[in-house]
Amino acid sequence: MEDEDIVSGVIDEPDEDETEELIEVCPVCGSPDLYYEAGGIEGLYHCKDCGYIGAFVIEANRKMRQLIRDEYERNLRVSE
């Protein structure tokens, strides 16, 4: 048991966000609807929702996906 896990003699339980499963999502819109296209030396991810194409994706929990999605939708409204 690590020292930071103990607070005032009580074991600190991990937050729900820490134990939630992480999935790969689009860094632009937060969508998990990605497909991987192999080609060349490295493949690229394509997002079916926003059209993102790139090698970078984010491993995110539900809360982080929602934050990314909210920011994406806010930027869409500003650009209209």
Side-chain angles (χ1 to χ4, degrees), residues 5 15-16 20 24 39 43 47 55 78:
D5 289 339
D15 292 338
E16 183 179 317
E20 190 175 353
E24 291 180 342
C47 177
V78 169

Side-chain angles (χ1 to χ4, degrees), residues 13-76:
E13 294 294 326
D15 292 338
E16 183 179 317
D17 291 342
E18 293 175 9
T19 59
E20 190 175 353
E21 181 181 357
L22 301 177
I23 62 169
E24 291 180 342
V25 299
C26 174
V28 175
C29 71
S31 171
D33 201 5
L34 301 166
Y35 65 96
Y36 188 73
E37 183 177 304
I41 295 173
E42 294 182 17
L44 298 174
Y45 290 91
H46 293 230
C47 177
K48 293 180 183 179
D49 287 351
C50 73
Y52 166 78
I53 299 173
F56 178 74
V57 294
I58 296 175
E59 288 189 348
N61 62 17
R62 182 183 44 80
K63 184 177 179 181
M64 188 173 186
R65 289 191 308 266
Q66 189 59 51
L67 290 171
I68 295 168
R69 189 69 188 178
D70 291 346
E71 181 69 20
Y72 174 70
E73 290 174 356
R74 190 171 23 258
N75 289 335
L76 280 180

